[in-house]
Amino acid sequence: MRLSRYFLPTLKENPSEAQIVSHRLMLRAGMVRQSSAGIYSWLPMGHKVLMNIQRVVEEEQAAMGCQQMLMPTIQLADLWRESGRYDAYGPEMLRIQDRHGRDMLYGPTNEEQITEIFRDAAKSYKELPKMLYHIQWKFRDEVRPRFGVMRGREFLMKDAYSFDIDDAAGRVSYNKFFVNYLRIYDRLGLKAIPMKADTGPIGGDMSHEFLILADTGESEIACHRDYISMDWVGTDVDYDSDLQPMVDTFTSKYAATDEMRDPEQEAALGDDLITARGIEVGHIFHFGTNYSEPLGAKVTTAEGGEATVSMGSYGVGVSRLVGAVIEASHDDDGIIWPESIAPFKVGLINLKTGDEACDAACDGIYNDLQTAGVEVLMDDREIRAGGKFADMDLIGLPWQIIAGPRGLKDGMVELKNRATGEREDLSIESALSRMTA
Amino acid sequence: MRLSRYFLPTLKENPSEAQIVSHRLMLRAGMVRQSSAGIYSWLPMGHKVLMNIQRVVEEEQAAMGCQQMLMPTIQLADLWRESGRYDAYGPEMLRIQDRHGRDMLYGPTNEEQITEIFRDAAKSYKELPKMLYHIQWKFRDEVRPRFGVMRGREFLMKDAYSFDIDDAAGRVSYNKFFVNYLRIYDRLGLKAIPMKADTGPIGGDMSHEFLILADTGESEIACHRDYISMDWVGTDVDYDSDLQPMVDTFTSKYAATDEMRDPEQEAALGDDLITARGIEVGHIFHFGTNYSEPLGAKVTTAEGGEATVSMGSYGVGVSRLVGAVIEASHDDDGIIWPESIAPFKVGLINLKTGDEACDAACDGIYNDLQTAGVEVLMDDREIRAGGKFADMDLIGLPWQIIAGPRGLKDGMVELKNRATGEREDLSIESALSRMTA
């Protein structure tokens, strides 16, 4: 993409309304614009990152055998009356009447809806286990939306649901998601710590939140020091194997969110205790028959009887993750994208747009990278070099190729690593082969 | 995917609520389930087709230089008051109050919102032309939703917007979308005829609808017979070239929707006139400064003055296209997917699940296809062959490989083309090389 044509309205000044760094940087880097309180439009570069994160989530969900579908945003209130949650859910639920006066709502989550779909379709134990998910916009009418996309009202969430013949089988599904989530965060360059969590309005007897540590986190968490240095899940997970030992490794030590903290256990930890601010990036629940019972989701058993299915739900905030990654990966100059979700791998800076030789060389590098399938953003704007450096650092592409008349005379460019700040003078060929390797 | 694990609840009986074939087949093939009137959940196979169509649209929009972004579903009523459309839009608009009593709405379209974003970001003629689009769920509270996803209330639409320095430049952008849409329909196996159209609530001085001919179409259209045999747009479109001649080719003959028909012109056509039912699959508008004027979207000109930008909007109903493709491509047995958007390329029928040799051979074919990157759905259910044949025809995958004990003894399978019904006996190797070619 040529920056001269790209819709990337960067800002020089820090927007006064943004209290945390990810919100500030997303506005400054032209990734989002506020539409109304807690509701954002994703401009092209922000959208690209959002979709890159979605792709990682999709790939990992597919790897564990979870099937993608898509439920609508608007649901019938009557369905929520069946589960008893319509009245229980507070003013955070956006309630709507359609033109015929029917009570509807903008879904904040989908337990009722997926249970209804499953109930009407599945008949036999042979169809179990089943894991289904969708990635859809949700709405929660926060009283004070803040922190940009981190605590918005309209947000993109991946929510998955598992269906099993009994709670023991449900536990197996739960473990799959537990491990799967660690894989997802790892690919996004995040270290997320699983913590025992309150089940809140979803209900159930087992629940973990996944939190990353960041100074701007909204809740105070406490955990054993070992979590910081813990080895992460490998890339090859066999989801058909027994994952309990792996789950045990990640849950054996103390780790608790705000409302679950235990002063006694913490006192016993002594110097091994860490307290910090945390950002929730996922939440998983096993709630057994809490929804399948009132909604009547049953299957026949191998013995000829009937069983109410055991369920769980598993949420990852896709839009929130964009902010969380920035909270975890930035410096004073701007964002530092992990390569796995960067909007472009390479930023190519033409130091002298308008200079014939410079333009030709940059066009050549640009075309060669594109031909090799490397995503590149070329700054071909007619502005001063200082502005180009600042914008390129701000938007945080992993690599910068800086091409100016002086170096190009000898066929040389500069390659800069955004994360480390390291710079190298290289021939064009070497720079290309480094980027396409 | 193994059908025994896939969430594909097919139906044997025709659902009584479905009046048209696409609605019937989408329900029977387990693609969608109704959530409430005019609102659908997309089950895994339906979701796959929906995303395949979305991918075609995305690829073609990128090819013409249109940049993807994403605007939210919920908008501020005040923004629509600025354009004057809040009151003008009837009860089809879903109006909402948030917890603070602010008037909001579920966007039926996004002219106001994109104009506001552009206004706040763009300053100079140098940033023009610009083309932006998003693919987002919309809501129109139809009084009588019907025909399944063809006329739903919550629907997925691609809407694009162009920004130009004046109407002449706007015409160039308009032509790009005109040609681009013909490309999109062509890739979906649809012959869509562009017709002069009423501009309706969007407004403007130039507008075309794209319609495909189908018996179940909701409007009566009339056009010159030549459109039926007209050569379609090639695969290589140079969007920087003058597209006016190509647009002229497709607009020179008479073609009109319901409300635009002209009895005099039709009488003059004589035998060359065709009247038929049509399904709208796209609508493009050039409306100049209708929104940029009231919302104040201006840029500085090269001469140092100021210009209100000239705009157009361009819509394709992505979810509606799923139904439209089925209306255009089915037979008595079920759907016939064009390969470009088929949920799987190959359906592999194991005629005798449980037979060791049969299972082993099918697993081998299945793995070989997957390794070669061919998407395959294997029917490994323990049901009778008749049910497998019926379901495979119903869901309409382009190719079927039918493997039974008798043929496999000699290393042979049957290859069936769903569209033509042609069957061939082939060695496993030949069948594989045909499918991976």
Side-chain angles (χ1 to χ4, degrees):
Chain A
M1 177 61 69
R2 290 167 187 275
L3 192 40
S4 61
R5 297 189 189 167
Y6 201 39
F7 188 59
L8 186 76
T10 55
L11 304 175
K12 283 208 182 58
E13 307 296 329
N14 274 326
S16 58
E17 74 267 32
Q19 299 167 36
I20 62 170
V21 65
S22 60
H23 189 193
R24 225 159 30 227
L25 288 175
M26 288 179 75
L27 289 170
R28 284 196 50 206
M31 292 178 62
V32 293
R33 284 295 179 263
Q34 183 173 297
S35 165
S36 63
I39 304 181
Y40 290 85
S41 286
W42 295 76
L43 307 191
M45 205 180 69
H47 177 257
K48 221 153 179 288
V49 174
L50 185 68
M51 289 303 107
N52 285 348
I53 292 179
Q54 175 164 328
R55 185 180 35 73
V56 168
V57 173
E58 287 173 347
E59 287 171 3
E60 292 299 325
Q61 292 283 281
M64 69 174 278
C66 192
Q67 297 174 38
Q68 191 168 13
M69 55 180 293
L70 189 54
M71 289 175 272
T73 61
I74 303 293
Q75 307 180 23
L76 271 182
D78 278 344
L79 186 58
W80 286 64
R81 292 193 176 106
E82 278 188 64
S83 72
R85 276 210 292 183
Y86 186 69
D87 294 321
Y89 228 100
E92 271 195 16
M93 182 186 276
L94 191 65
R95 293 155 208 263
I96 304 169
Q97 283 210 332
D98 73 5
R99 67 190 291 171
H100 298 299
R102 268 178 302 225
D103 288 331
M104 317 284 287
L105 57 95
Y106 198 122
T109 176
N110 289 68
E111 280 79 9
E112 285 81 356
Q113 195 155 39
I114 193 74
T115 306
E116 181 189 47
I117 290 168
F118 185 86
R119 171 192 74 193
D120 295 347
K123 305 280 170 258
S124 156
Y125 70 95
K126 288 185 192 163
E127 295 162 61
L128 300 179
K130 201 73 92 196
M131 300 180 289
L132 300 167
Y133 80 100
H134 76 155
I135 298 178
Q136 179 60 291
W137 291 89
K138 312 284 192 297
F139 203 95
R140 288 184 196 162
D141 203 354
E142 302 270 355
V143 64
R144 264 188 313 277
R146 60 191 187 282
F147 303 154
V149 301
M150 297 278 286
R151 198 169 193 85
R153 295 199 290 171
E154 187 170 330
F155 59 97
L156 188 61
M157 190 165 89
K158 187 283 298 184
D159 40 323
Y161 304 89
S162 64
F163 303 87
D164 285 283
I165 193 71
D166 56 29
D167 286 346
R171 176 75 196 225
V172 173
S173 293
Y174 186 89
N175 287 348
K176 288 183 185 180
F177 280 99
F178 187 104
V179 172
N180 192 257
Y181 276 30
L182 292 176
R183 285 279 311 130
I184 289 172
Y185 303 128
D186 195 39
R187 282 186 62 183
L188 303 179
L190 295 174
K191 242 186 185 187
I193 303 174
M195 305 193 179
K196 258 204 153 44
D198 195 13
T199 58
I202 306 280
D205 57 2
M206 183 166 54
S207 177
H208 285 92
E209 279 183 38
F210 295 81
L211 287 103
I212 60 165
L213 307 187
D215 294 341
T216 48
E218 57 212 330
S219 62
E220 175 92 8
I221 62 101
C223 70
H224 193 292
R225 187 175 297 280
D226 282 0
Y227 275 110
I228 307 303
S229 55
M230 203 172 263
D231 260 350
W232 239 234
V233 178
T235 49
D236 277 329
V237 175
D238 176 4
Y239 287 102
D240 291 327
S241 69
D242 179 12
L243 298 173
Q244 193 63 51
M246 201 183 289
V247 171
D248 289 343
T249 307
F250 283 94
T251 54
S252 57
K253 301 251 159 97
Y254 179 77
T257 59
D258 251 347
E259 64 270 29
M260 300 294 277
R261 291 178 62 179
D262 176 349
E264 262 183 61
Q265 285 193 60
E266 293 191 9
L269 279 180
D271 278 355
D272 282 336
L273 182 74
I274 285 182
T275 59
R277 311 292 301 176
I279 298 173
E280 189 207 314
V281 289
H283 203 158
I284 62 177
F285 304 86
H286 177 258
F287 45 72
T289 59
N290 283 15
Y291 298 89
S292 48
E293 181 68 49
L295 290 163
K298 296 172 196 172
V299 293
T300 57
T301 63
E303 296 76 30
E306 221 178 36
T308 300
V309 294
S310 176
M311 292 176 56
S313 71
Y314 314 87
V316 161
V318 178
S319 49
R320 152 172 280 226
L321 274 170
V322 180
V325 169
I326 296 176
E327 291 291 334
S329 182
H330 68 271
D331 62 16
D332 288 347
D333 296 325
I335 302 165
I336 301 171
W337 290 118
E339 252 185 71
S340 57
I341 57 166
F344 301 89
K345 179 176 177 180
V346 180
L348 171 59
I349 297 180
N350 180 343
L351 285 178
K352 204 169 177 188
T353 304
D355 176 278
E356 216 170 294
C358 224
D359 290 353
C362 285
D363 282 352
I365 297 170
Y366 180 74
N367 291 332
D368 286 348
L369 286 172
Q370 291 215 312
T371 306
V374 176
E375 289 207 277
V376 52
L377 180 67
M378 175 166 69
D379 193 344
D380 58 344
R381 296 174 299 173
E382 297 190 4
I383 64 167
R384 293 178 40 187
K388 295 187 178 185
F389 289 136
D391 273 351
M392 203 55 90
D393 280 350
L394 173 63
I395 66 176
L397 308 183
W399 298 96
Q400 298 176 11
I401 295 178
I402 301 157
R406 211 168 330 158
L408 286 173
K409 228 172 34 204
D410 308 317
M412 303 289 280
V413 294
E414 194 177 31
L415 181 68
K416 176 178 163 184
N417 179 309
R418 173 67 182 87
T420 64
E422 269 179 278
R423 296 155 175 278
E424 257 182 283
D425 286 315
L426 289 172
S427 69
I428 293 177
E429 294 67 37
S430 307
L432 285 173
S433 75
R434 283 276 288 281
M435 290 302 97
T436 55
Chain B
M1 177 61 69
R2 289 167 189 273
L3 192 39
S4 61
R5 298 189 189 167
Y6 202 38
F7 188 60
L8 185 76
T10 56
L11 304 175
K12 283 208 181 57
E13 308 296 329
N14 274 325
S16 58
E17 74 267 32
Q19 299 166 37
I20 62 170
V21 66
S22 59
H23 189 191
R24 223 156 37 224
L25 288 175
M26 287 179 76
L27 288 169
R28 283 196 51 208
M31 292 178 64
V32 292
R33 284 297 178 262
Q34 182 173 296
S35 165
S36 63
I39 304 182
Y40 290 85
S41 287
W42 295 76
L43 306 191
M45 205 179 69
H47 177 257
K48 221 155 179 289
V49 174
L50 185 68
M51 289 303 106
N52 286 347
I53 292 180
Q54 174 163 329
R55 186 180 35 75
V56 168
V57 173
E58 287 173 346
E59 287 172 3
E60 292 299 326
Q61 292 283 281
M64 70 174 279
C66 193
Q67 297 173 38
Q68 190 166 13
M69 55 182 290
L70 189 54
M71 289 174 272
T73 61
I74 303 294
Q75 306 180 22
L76 270 183
D78 278 344
L79 186 59
W80 287 63
R81 293 194 176 105
E82 279 189 64
S83 72
R85 278 211 290 184
Y86 187 68
D87 294 321
Y89 228 100
E92 271 194 16
M93 181 187 277
L94 191 64
R95 293 156 208 262
I96 304 170
Q97 283 210 332
D98 73 7
R99 66 189 293 170
H100 299 299
R102 270 178 301 227
D103 288 332
M104 316 286 287
L105 57 94
Y106 198 122
T109 176
N110 288 68
E111 280 80 10
E112 284 82 356
Q113 194 155 40
I114 193 75
T115 306
E116 180 190 47
I117 290 168
F118 185 86
R119 172 192 72 192
D120 296 345
K123 305 281 170 256
S124 155
Y125 71 96
K126 289 184 192 163
E127 295 162 60
L128 301 177
K130 201 72 93 198
M131 299 181 290
L132 300 167
Y133 80 100
H134 74 157
I135 297 177
Q136 178 60 291
W137 292 90
K138 312 283 193 295
F139 203 95
R140 289 183 196 163
D141 203 355
E142 303 269 355
V143 64
R144 265 188 312 278
R146 58 191 187 282
F147 303 154
V149 301
M150 297 279 287
R151 199 171 191 84
R153 295 199 289 171
E154 186 169 329
F155 59 98
L156 187 61
M157 189 165 91
K158 188 282 296 185
D159 40 323
Y161 303 89
S162 63
F163 303 87
D164 285 281
I165 192 70
D166 56 30
D167 285 348
R171 177 74 195 225
V172 173
S173 293
Y174 186 89
N175 286 349
K176 288 183 185 180
F177 281 99
F178 188 104
V179 172
N180 192 258
Y181 276 30
L182 293 175
R183 284 278 313 129
I184 290 172
Y185 303 129
D186 196 38
R187 283 187 61 183
L188 303 179
L190 296 173
K191 243 187 185 187
I193 303 174
M195 305 194 179
K196 257 203 154 44
D198 195 12
T199 57
I202 306 278
D205 58 2
M206 183 166 56
S207 177
H208 285 91
E209 277 182 38
F210 295 81
L211 288 104
I212 61 165
L213 306 187
D215 294 341
T216 48
E218 57 212 331
S219 63
E220 175 93 7
I221 61 100
C223 69
H224 193 291
R225 185 175 298 280
D226 283 359
Y227 276 111
I228 308 303
S229 55
M230 203 170 263
D231 261 350
W232 238 235
V233 178
T235 49
D236 277 328
V237 175
D238 175 4
Y239 286 102
D240 291 327
S241 68
D242 180 13
L243 298 173
Q244 193 64 49
M246 200 183 287
V247 171
D248 289 344
T249 307
F250 284 94
T251 54
S252 58
K253 302 250 158 96
Y254 179 77
T257 59
D258 250 348
E259 64 270 29
M260 301 293 279
R261 290 179 62 179
D262 176 351
E264 263 184 60
Q265 285 193 62
E266 293 192 8
L269 280 180
D271 279 355
D272 282 335
L273 182 74
I274 285 181
T275 61
R277 310 293 301 176
I279 299 172
E280 189 208 314
V281 289
H283 202 159
I284 62 178
F285 303 86
H286 176 257
F287 44 72
T289 59
N290 282 15
Y291 297 90
S292 48
E293 181 67 49
L295 290 164
K298 295 172 198 171
V299 293
T300 56
T301 63
E303 296 77 30
E306 221 179 39
T308 301
V309 294
S310 175
M311 291 176 56
S313 72
Y314 314 88
V316 161
V318 177
S319 50
R320 155 173 279 226
L321 273 170
V322 180
V325 168
I326 296 175
E327 290 292 332
S329 182
H330 66 270
D331 63 16
D332 288 346
D333 297 325
I335 302 166
I336 302 172
W337 291 117
E339 252 185 70
S340 57
I341 56 166
F344 301 89
K345 179 176 177 179
V346 180
L348 171 60
I349 296 179
N350 180 344
L351 284 178
K352 204 170 177 186
T353 304
D355 176 279
E356 215 171 297
C358 225
D359 290 353
C362 285
D363 282 353
I365 298 170
Y366 180 74
N367 290 332
D368 287 348
L369 286 172
Q370 291 216 313
T371 305
V374 175
E375 291 208 277
V376 52
L377 180 68
M378 175 165 70
D379 193 344
D380 58 344
R381 295 174 300 173
E382 295 191 6
I383 64 167
R384 293 178 41 186
K388 295 187 179 186
F389 290 136
D391 273 350
M392 203 54 90
D393 279 351
L394 172 64
I395 66 176
L397 309 183
W399 297 96
Q400 298 176 12
I401 296 177
I402 301 156
R406 212 169 329 159
L408 285 172
K409 227 173 35 206
D410 307 318
M412 303 288 282
V413 293
E414 193 177 33
L415 182 68
K416 176 179 163 183
N417 180 310
R418 174 67 183 88
T420 64
E422 270 178 277
R423 297 156 175 278
E424 259 181 282
D425 288 315
L426 288 172
S427 69
I428 292 177
E429 293 68 39
S430 308
L432 285 174
S433 73
R434 281 276 288 281
M435 290 302 97
T436 54

